[in-house]
Amino acid sequence: MKFLRSIRVRLTLWYIFILGCTLALFSSLVYYQMSRSLYKSVDHKILTISEVIASSLSPKSNSVFADIQKKLAKQVGRQPTAKFVQLLDRSGNIGGKSLNLKNKRLPVSYEALQNAAKGIITYETREVFGEPLRIITYPVKRKGSVINSIVQVATSLSGVQETLRKLVLILVSIVPLALIIASIGGIFLAHKVLKPINEINRITREITSKNLQLRVPEPATHDELGQLVETINGMIERLEKSFRQIQQFTADASHELKTPLTILKGEAELALRKPREPEEYREYLQSSLEEINRLTRLVQDLLVLSRADTGRLTLHKEPLDLSLLVDTCCDQCRFLGENQNVQVSFSNREEAWVLGDKYRLKQMLFNLVENAIKYSDNGGQVEVFTRQNGKFVTVSIKDEGVGIDEKDIPYIFDRFYRVDKSRSREAGGTGLGLSISKWIAEAHGGKITVESSLGVGSCFTIWLPKYQPDA
């Protein structure tokens, strides 16, 4: 049913159900306690009367009953009304009875006579004279021994039953009324509780890719709803950031692809505009090949980052000495330094074992060393060294280049971010090397930190967990 899909309706129904069960249990307990108390009071009264009558009887005879009611009124303080008194012997023969019995008699069961002979008091409820009576069969004792006398006292239960009937009517009237009031209160409370959720629902429906800056107003109370709003706003903020990154990434990728494609198109149009010498065609082809290589590297870097983002780029980790990998990388990068008259040196060759993917770690080291060479001044030096640093192995790449402004450091690992865009393109960079390096370090459980000063140089430090093989 459609109306049951509403949380407000379900909460109200559950509230009424639980309250109804609670009231039913409470009413049953009240009725039980009241009934028990009333019957116990009746039993106590007839027991008291029985004891008074038994104590006033002569041990030799139980036939004298003329002044029994006077004696009872004298000891109890008043003459009891609506009480029937009957004296018996062990055989059940009547020795006397109260005047209100007239020509009637109280019933006595065989079980009650047997209990009286043993000195046991018996309580019974019987339908007598057209009304329910509570009857006590009380054996008379003298000096701890049962004598040939039995006292029966009976009283009507009509008053008790009438009281219980009225109690039932009151409870039956109050419980539905309480449920009706509770249902109204439950609907009101459910509406009040769910009102912020409806507001959250309304605002979140309005949020699209064009207005991700919208936020759900946070309530003044820091309860579960406040935590929910905080979680939703945090999610929207992350989505907004991711969406901006995607937009920026798309725009930057388009720009990076557009530049070499424009160059390729321009050179092809120039080459085809008129007949040229073979050497001129060779120059155009050589220039086109450089742009194609640049496009190839850009596409490869984009593919690496795309697979990394989707979790499809797996690492094949194995124990390896990072110092040997750094040494190999520095040897390969020295020829790049020679073109810019930059010297690449590697010091501190102590063993530094890590658990990692050899190819990806080499790619990260090559990106950082190549980047240091590109931004070094003519005649500068790039120094690479490894260290043991507690539970980590560090590789530092220090250059003597132009340095990085402090305001640019938080963004240098963003995709396509360049501190000096013109110089990066001239050097053939794609703007993705640092992003890939950061991902490789984090995928190995490490990180990359940067220290830099303008006009002094930069120092990139790779932190990787130390590998400790089992003994």
Side-chain angles (χ1 to χ4, degrees), residues 233-279:
N233 285 337
M235 179 190 67
I236 297 173
E237 185 175 351
R238 291 190 298 272
L239 287 174
E240 182 185 12
K241 182 178 179 181
S242 299
F243 196 80
R244 285 202 307 265
Q245 289 177 342
I246 292 172
Q247 288 180 321
Q248 186 65 39
F249 180 79
T250 303
D252 291 341
S254 301
H255 181 72
E256 294 294 330
L257 291 170
K258 179 181 178 181
T259 301
L261 288 174
T262 301
I263 294 174
L264 284 172
K265 180 181 178 182
E267 291 181 343
E269 289 176 347
L270 286 174
L272 295 173
R273 186 168 296 174
K274 63 179 180 178
R276 300 179 183 277
E277 297 294 327
E279 187 62 31

Side-chain angles (χ1 to χ4, degrees), residues 50 53 84-88 106-109 112 124 135-138 150-154:
S50 299
I53 295 174
F84 302 99
V85 180
Q86 183 174 272
L87 300 180
L88 308 171
L106 297 176
V108 57
S109 64
E124 296 175 300
I135 305 173
I136 182 174
T137 304
Y138 185 90
I150 299 173
V151 176
Q152 275 190 309
V153 179

Side-chain angles (χ1 to χ4, degrees), residues 415-454:
R415 300 170 187 182
F416 295 114
Y417 186 85
R418 289 189 176 95
V419 177
D420 187 350
K421 296 179 174 56
S422 60
R423 185 171 181 181
S424 296
R425 288 197 176 91
E426 290 173 0
T430 64
L432 298 173
L434 290 180
S435 298
I436 294 175
S437 299
K438 179 186 177 184
W439 176 85
I440 294 173
E442 291 177 348
H444 284 80
K447 62 181 179 179
I448 300 177
T449 58
V450 184
E451 295 178 0
S452 183
S453 299
L454 286 175

Side-chain angles (χ1 to χ4, degrees), residues 344-362:
V344 179
S345 63
F346 174 48
S347 59
N348 193 4
R349 299 171 181 268
E350 64 181 57
E351 290 186 353
W353 286 87
V354 297
L355 185 66
D357 186 312
K358 184 177 181 179
Y359 174 76
R360 294 301 173 189
L361 290 178
K362 186 176 180 181

